Amino acid sequence: MAAREEPDRAGSAAARDALREAILAGQYLPGERLVEAQLSDRLAASRFNVRIALQDLAAEGLVEIQRNRGAQVRKVSLEEAIEITEVRMVLEGLVAARAAERVSADQATELDEIGLLMRRAVTAGEYRRYSDLNHRLHALIREIAGHRTADGIIETLRGQLVRHQFMLSLLPGRPQTSLPQHEAVIAAIRDRDPKAAEDAMREHIASVLEALRSIDALSNQDGA
């Protein structure tokens, strides 16, 4: 009888993190098959660790595993994306309020610097850079808040919205709309005003919802 392979937590965690990063970066598209043998070569990981990594990412909602068909990047419908964003609105509002209570002077300065870089990116039409700064800003706010439970949930939800976030970034005028919203969030956190920070963040995420619904409406028109 062949010896049963023992779990390698470090190896499977490394494979999981690398694969998650690749999916979030768009290197694997929704619906694309994730073949264990190919992933094993790409990630320099054993098939066993790749299998565990896929199971972990399935639990996060990034991967779907179907019996007799293997794993694939999970497709998230626009309707589900809207529901996920509704949950994000509540959680990110909570996190922004907590960040306003806990922000240090150095962290406030870092928020200001990101806000300035975001404005420069929009002025220069560097929308990919703006998108990267957007992610950096939200990550910093979560770091300041230090709410581990909310942080983990938000990161998992964000991962499921990668394709829809890309679609949003292509909407004409979207960066110009979201920039002042981000600046309002930054200002409220710097002023240590939890209510204003929560309101500003919820207003920002509400505009994301509105944009997603506009995409949904356009899709329905195209299919009519």
Side-chain angles (χ1 to χ4, degrees):
M1 177 182 282
R4 185 181 179 202
E5 189 168 357
E6 292 297 322
D8 174 8
R9 288 186 174 85
S12 61
R16 177 198 63 214
D17 293 345
L19 182 54
R20 183 196 295 113
E21 184 176 339
I23 292 173
L24 295 181
Q27 295 173 20
Y28 294 99
L29 300 177
E32 184 172 348
R33 288 190 63 218
L34 299 169
V35 181
E36 286 184 9
Q38 295 173 355
L39 291 174
S40 179
D41 290 339
R42 174 169 177 167
L43 302 175
S46 70
R47 292 275 296 269
F48 184 74
N49 284 337
V50 167
R51 193 171 305 124
I52 294 175
L54 289 170
Q55 291 170 355
D56 287 347
L57 294 178
E60 292 182 15
L62 281 178
V63 168
E64 183 178 26
I65 301 175
Q66 298 178 337
R67 189 172 182 179
N68 300 324
R69 296 187 63 184
Q72 65 180 31
V73 180
R74 191 168 80 88
K75 295 179 181 178
V76 175
S77 69
L78 201 51
E79 180 180 3
E80 186 179 356
I82 289 171
E83 291 182 357
I84 290 171
T85 305
E86 288 172 337
V87 175
R88 274 188 60 207
M89 182 169 65
V90 176
L91 288 174
E92 296 215 34
L94 165 70
V95 166
R98 180 154 161 161
E101 295 171 349
R102 296 165 56 98
V103 66
S104 68
D106 287 345
Q107 290 168 334
T109 297
E110 188 174 357
L111 288 170
D112 280 340
E113 290 172 350
I114 295 175
L116 178 60
L117 291 172
M118 292 177 85
R119 178 161 286 280
R120 287 176 177 170
V122 170
T123 301
E126 297 174 347
Y127 299 136
R128 179 58 186 267
R129 173 152 176 74
Y130 178 80
S131 178
D132 291 342
L133 289 165
N134 178 11
H135 174 57
R136 181 178 159 193
L137 173 64
H138 283 267
L140 176 58
I141 292 171
R142 297 199 307 273
E143 179 183 332
I144 295 169
H147 197 303
R148 287 183 297 176
T149 300
D151 188 23
I153 296 171
I154 290 169
E155 189 64 17
T156 297
L157 294 176
R158 188 189 73 83
Q160 297 177 32
L161 295 175
V162 171
R163 181 171 68 93
H164 301 285
Q165 288 172 336
F166 177 72
M167 292 166 62
L168 283 176
S169 71
L170 298 179
L171 282 178
R174 179 63 201 161
Q176 290 81 356
T177 298
S178 66
L179 175 62
Q181 295 167 355
H182 285 123
E183 290 175 330
V185 172
I186 291 170
I189 294 175
R190 284 184 69 258
D191 291 343
R192 295 172 173 79
D193 187 335
K195 185 178 186 310
E198 180 171 5
D199 290 346
M201 182 62 82
R202 288 177 69 107
E203 181 179 345
H204 166 55
I205 303 296
S207 82
V208 175
L209 277 169
E210 184 179 343
L212 283 170
R213 290 183 178 120
S214 73
I215 293 174
D216 190 25
L218 287 172
S219 299
N220 289 336
Q221 288 177 8
D222 291 342

